[in-house]
Each structure stands twice: as structure tokens, then as C-alpha cells.
Amino acid sequence: MTTLQRYADRRVLVTGAGSGIGQATVLRILSEGGRVAAADISADGLKHTHTKAGDDAERLTTVVMDVGAEDSVKTGVAEAVRELGGLDALVNAAGILRSAHFEQTTVADFEQVIRINLIGTFLVIREALPALREGTGPAVVNFSSTSAQFAHPYMSAYAASKGGIQAMTHALAMEFSKQGIRFNSVQPGSISSGMTDGTGEAKQSVGPGLPADADFALFGKTAPMLPLPDGAIFAQPDAVAAVVAMLASADAYFVTGAELRVDGGSHM
């Protein structure tokens, strides 16, 4: 557990907090003394996060929220801000992954990924902005992906959504720069998460598995270069949570409009 205490007076909303990287981010920020509102579509996932928080759970509140539904976001963000007494940082970790041959991807499948990943990020930011304006050292960390800049086969919808998030992050960083609100994104790659291991409720509902006839030779450029224990191919979510915690803290006071890739050197 970290001994840093960068969040002793900081209030943070984290979406996608019921599993994977979102959950790891909640636990990291709590360990640094923060007060956190954990939001997720899965009530069971949030219960698991609450249990894992242990003694830090006294500074944790949970909010069931569907980031792809405007009314749910409006209600959920308002509840989070009310429970926290304000907002200093927002982490948009909620997302889903669907993999398929491009020509077999339906409009409904493509739109669902865009709705949750890209539009969901937009909705949460929009609703959180009034509270962030009143916050201390306000910061937003969005979740892009290595797929936004590098070729990940069978993931066209996901890549499009994450590329949109990256571009939107740049636009918002500029638009709100003079108001002192920082916007950055992380680009995870080769990370175990609710999307890659099937523990996220939204993930389970859409099914991320690769096509049965997928050509795995196409993934040669996505393997991490840094060694992982026991021959693992994915790093643990805390690898990303540590970077998110830095970006949303005062340590990153002069960082905005940036992407930080966390992929073990997969895309050097």
C-alpha cells in the first residue's frame, strides 16, 4: 500500500469502479487519503469494491449509474457530488469492448460501444463540470487506449470510441485551460481488466471474445516488452491506477492535453 497522501483533502468521482482498472483506481486514491464516489452499472461490482476497500470504506460512497443513459448520469453525478460535498477530480474508466470481424459488426453493436465509451464519457464530464469549476485543482482523467493510435484487429468500434475520447480530451483541455481544469487521458494496453477478463457486468452483456477464426499473428505488435511474473500476458490494473492517481493529483499541475501510455512497451 502506498504511503503517499496526495488526496487527503481531495474528492474524486470514478466511473467503471466495480471492477478492473476503475476499481483499482478507487482503492489507490482511497489509500492516499481521498474521498471517493465509486460509480458503476453493477451494484454487485460496487459491493465488491466496497468490501475490498476495508478500513478505507468509511471514505467511500457508491453510486449505481449507467454512463450510456443521460438521465442515469444526471442523477448519478448529482448524487456523487452531494455525497462528497463537491468535486475535485473525475476519472472516466467506464467502458465496454466488443470484438468482431468488421464486416460482421452490426450498426447496433457499433453504436453500443460508441454510446457507452464515447458518449458516456461526454455525459459524465458535462454533468460534472459545474462541480469541478468549484473544486480545488480540478482534473479529469479519461480512458483512451493504445487501440486509438495503433492497429488492434477486430476492434474497430472500440478503437473508434477510444480515438474519439483522445481527440475530445485535447479539445476540452484547450477549452477549459484558462479555467484551470486539466484534462488528460491514459492509454492502457495489455492490462487485466473487467473488459479483458469478463468480470465487468457491461462487458459480460456484450461479449468481448475474439472471433473463433481470429488470426493471432495479427497481434504480434501488441505484446508487452517488459517481463511479467509467471509468464502472464496482462499486467495488473494497479499499473494503470498508479498513473491515473498521479494525473488527477496536484503532482500533475502542469500537465494537460496529454496521453500517457501504460502498455509495458508494447508500442514503442
Side-chain angles (χ1 to χ4, degrees), residues 35-56:
R35 294 177 57 201
V36 181
D40 200 282
I41 194 173
S42 171
D44 288 340
L46 290 174
K47 289 178 183 177
H48 184 233
T49 300
H50 193 276
T51 298
K52 292 194 72 171
D55 292 341
D56 289 333

Side-chain angles (χ1 to χ4, degrees), residues 3-267:
T3 58
L4 292 172
Q5 288 294 294
R6 295 177 294 191
Y7 286 84
D9 298 308
R10 206 149 175 77
R11 302 156 297 181
V12 186
L13 168 59
V14 180
T15 71
S19 65
I21 301 171
Q23 182 182 82
T25 298
V26 169
L27 299 178
R28 175 62 186 244
I29 292 174
L30 286 172
S31 76
E32 293 198 31
R35 294 177 57 201
V36 181
D40 200 282
I41 194 173
S42 171
D44 288 340
L46 290 174
K47 289 178 183 177
H48 184 233
T49 300
H50 193 276
T51 298
K52 292 194 72 171
D55 292 341
D56 289 333
E58 64 182 15
R59 287 179 279 105
L60 173 65
T61 186
T62 59
V63 180
V64 176
M65 183 171 74
D66 177 0
V67 299
E70 185 172 9
D71 289 344
S72 180
V73 172
K74 287 182 176 180
T75 301
V77 171
E79 179 182 347
V81 171
R82 183 171 62 251
E83 291 293 328
L84 293 173
L87 193 63
D88 303 307
L90 167 64
V91 178
N92 285 301
I96 62 169
L97 169 65
R98 183 185 257 298
S99 302
H101 288 291
F102 181 75
E103 68 271 22
Q104 295 171 3
T105 301
T106 66
V107 171
D109 290 341
F110 199 95
E111 286 182 340
Q112 184 180 31
V113 175
I114 297 296
R115 161 63 61 176
I116 294 174
N117 294 358
L118 180 56
I119 296 177
T121 298
F122 152 72
L123 287 172
V124 177
I125 293 172
R126 189 188 66 182
E127 295 307 310
L129 271 171
L132 286 168
R133 283 194 181 97
E134 301 300 319
T136 301
V140 177
V141 181
N142 293 328
F143 270 61
S144 180
S145 163
T146 52
S147 67
Q149 288 184 281
F150 303 95
H152 288 206
Y154 313 115
M155 301 179 190
S156 55
Y158 183 74
S161 72
K162 294 302 185 176
I165 289 171
Q166 185 170 311
M168 181 170 65
T169 301
H170 279 260
L172 294 174
M174 181 63 76
E175 182 173 348
F176 293 96
S177 57
K178 291 187 177 180
Q179 297 181 41
I181 306 177
R182 297 185 296 105
F183 287 82
N184 293 292
S185 66
V186 290
Q187 296 180 328
S190 300
I191 303 293
S192 177
S193 70
M195 287 191 295
T196 59
D197 62 21
T199 59
E201 182 173 299
K203 153 73 161 55
Q204 292 174 351
S205 71
V206 298
L210 291 170
D213 60 346
D215 182 354
F216 286 92
L218 300 177
F219 289 90
K221 293 183 178 181
T222 63
M225 296 296 101
L226 292 177
L228 292 169
D230 302 320
I233 59 173
F234 291 148
Q236 291 303 302
D238 62 352
V240 182
V243 175
V244 172
M246 182 278 291
L247 286 173
S249 77
D251 281 355
Y253 71 94
F254 205 54
V255 182
T256 193
E259 294 88 42
L260 269 71
R261 195 164 70 243
V262 188
D263 65 351
S266 301
H267 302 89

